[in-house]
Amino acid sequence: MKLEIGNVNVKDVLLGSENSFKDGILTIDKQGAIDYLKGEDDHITELDIVIAHPGDDTRIVPVIETIEPRVRMDGRCVFPGVTDEVVPAGDGELKAAKGTCVTVVGKEWGSFGDGVIDMGGEGAKHTYWSKLINICLVGDTDEEFERHEQQKCNHALRWAGHRLAEYVGKIIKDVDADETETYVFDPVLKRDEARKDLPNVAIVLQPQSQMEAMGYNDLLYGWDMNHFLPTFLSPTEVFDGCIISGSFMPASSKWSTYEFQNFPLIKELFKHDGIDYNFVGVIMSNLNVALNQKERSAVMVRNIALNLGVDYALVTEEGYGNPDTDYVRCQVILEDAGIPVVGVSNESDGRDGEGQPLVVLNEKLTALVSTGNVGELTELPACKTVIGNLEAMNRDGMSGSWGYDEILGKSARDDGSIIMEDNNWFCGDHISGFSVKTMAEV
């Protein structure tokens, strides 16, 4: 499979009365976009589009999702099974509006899986999103059944975000790309003879799929991953919109759709493919709840790896807590099969950093990469502008924030300043490989 991503570098984004791209300036017909999105889903009651730039003294909360604007050159939808019918992904040509993201924001209401983005100041250091021009889609819906629930599907707004990403992507369809990323994934059984002596490396992805109620989990070709069993995928499919983020998981631990589209760990594997090792693809797994489900998935991952002839594996999970059981079990069963593993995840050590990092540990886990401690506290001053609703941090059960603490008070204070756990940074641990953090020995 061959996937070509033509990157169009965006210098700025403006809102206007027409769609255009000129001299690096992307202009969006704001009302046209809003009318289109409302026409696609009558559950949407309010929508606005606001632009947030890197360095702005702006806080965005509650953030639901981020997506890179893209367009398929052959006219197929960007997110098969979600924004249109199920069609193949992973090969062909597309274009991407680089330096931007569609950021979906609740106008009033937040949820456990929603988070915070700061565009400037100290807070900007905590997330990758502060480096991008955020095309904020701020809205509300009539989904009253979940209005006061801590866990929300946020279906209408998430789908609107994916549609807006396609809408914006179409603006650059006829624009010449500044550079092209080309990913060639040859059939595993028809590889170049020169590769035969190279070790085989695979990556195991464990996207979020814990919720047995539908509508909260990550979707693969529109299929809820709670109903999914481990399988083999071309890495180019992951880049090409076959999987989208769900609404369940503490905010810092999520993989947003933008991260799936650009998964840095997979890109790094491609860089060395055919040189240092033979990249044999993605084993897509899941994160379920019952022990027999976890064991079944681990066994299937093991068997797929053995049948692919995998010599080394990376294993990475979306989340922590209950998913740590799947994460650790998968690594142990691969190690027992003679396949050395490197694991990549965040950790939950508590506010003092002295807790057990993973729910389950095993002496066979000898190579773990940490992307940060979700419990670390952060205190930041007020921002000049808030996009969304700061009170959601206190009211709506967002992970990492609270309504009142006897010692710390409210997470979102009356003066606009905040105190929260790192749990609350939207995709702040960037387990996909975007991580802005490092480690220090003390």
Side-chain angles (χ1 to χ4, degrees), residues 278-304:
N278 191 27
F279 181 26
V280 296
V282 175
I283 302 174
M284 188 68 76
S285 188
N286 51 359
L287 296 166
N288 287 353
V289 177
L291 283 175
N292 67 327
Q293 295 170 345
K294 296 173 183 293
E295 188 63 24
R296 182 184 300 113
S297 292
V299 167
M300 293 186 71
V301 167
R302 168 193 180 274
N303 291 346
I304 293 170

Side-chain angles (χ1 to χ4, degrees), residues 232-390:
F232 168 81
L233 287 183
S234 166
T236 58
E237 291 177 86
V238 179
F239 291 158
D240 195 21
C242 82
I243 184 167
I244 70 164
S245 177
S247 66
F248 174 75
M249 189 27 61
S252 72
S253 305
K254 291 172 67 172
W255 287 331
S256 74
T257 298
Y258 184 103
E259 295 195 272
F260 283 120
Q261 292 172 296
N262 292 278
F263 221 90
L265 286 176
I266 298 178
K267 289 188 176 183
E268 190 66 23
L269 287 168
F270 264 116
K271 285 182 183 178
H272 300 269
D273 181 36
I275 303 169
D276 300 311
Y277 47 72
N278 191 27
F279 181 26
V280 296
V282 175
I283 302 174
M284 188 68 76
S285 188
N286 51 359
L287 296 166
N288 287 353
V289 177
L291 283 175
N292 67 327
Q293 295 170 345
K294 296 173 183 293
E295 188 63 24
R296 182 184 300 113
S297 292
V299 167
M300 293 186 71
V301 167
R302 168 193 180 274
N303 291 346
I304 293 170
L306 288 174
N307 282 298
L308 285 172
V310 173
D311 297 304
Y312 300 94
L314 274 70
V315 176
T316 183
E317 64 171 338
E318 181 184 7
Y320 70 94
N322 188 300
D324 290 345
T325 311
D326 309 71
Y327 174 63
V328 170
R329 180 61 187 133
C330 185
Q331 293 182 67
V332 169
I333 202 170
L334 288 172
E335 291 278 356
D336 286 344
I339 301 172
V341 176
V342 174
V344 182
S345 73
N346 58 10
E347 54 189 278
S348 180
D349 302 319
R351 293 178 182 177
D352 60 5
E354 296 184 0
Q356 180 171 304
L358 302 172
V359 168
V360 179
L361 292 173
N362 189 289
E363 62 185 8
K364 294 178 181 178
L365 275 63
T366 58
L368 295 177
V369 177
S370 171
T371 63
N373 172 24
V374 301
E376 187 173 336
L377 283 172
T378 300
E379 186 173 3
L380 292 165
C383 289
K384 180 180 179 181
T385 302
V386 173
I387 297 175
N389 183 2
L390 198 63

Side-chain angles (χ1 to χ4, degrees), residues 23-24 34 50 53 56 64 123 129 131 170 173 179 230 235 247 265 287 309 321 329 335 348 353 380 395 397:
D23 298 329
I34 291 173
V50 182
H53 294 87
D56 286 353
I64 296 168
W129 317 114
K131 303 175 183 179
K170 290 176 181 177
K173 184 173 183 180
E179 60 179 359
S247 66
L265 286 176
L287 296 166
R329 180 61 187 133
E335 291 278 356
S348 180
L380 292 165
R395 182 191 61 211

Side-chain angles (χ1 to χ4, degrees), residues 157-178:
L157 290 180
R158 288 198 293 130
W159 260 237
H162 291 88
R163 291 187 180 111
L164 180 59
E166 289 188 335
Y167 179 93
V168 174
K170 290 176 181 177
I171 300 173
I172 62 166
K173 184 173 183 180
D174 297 324
V175 177
D176 291 337
D178 293 291

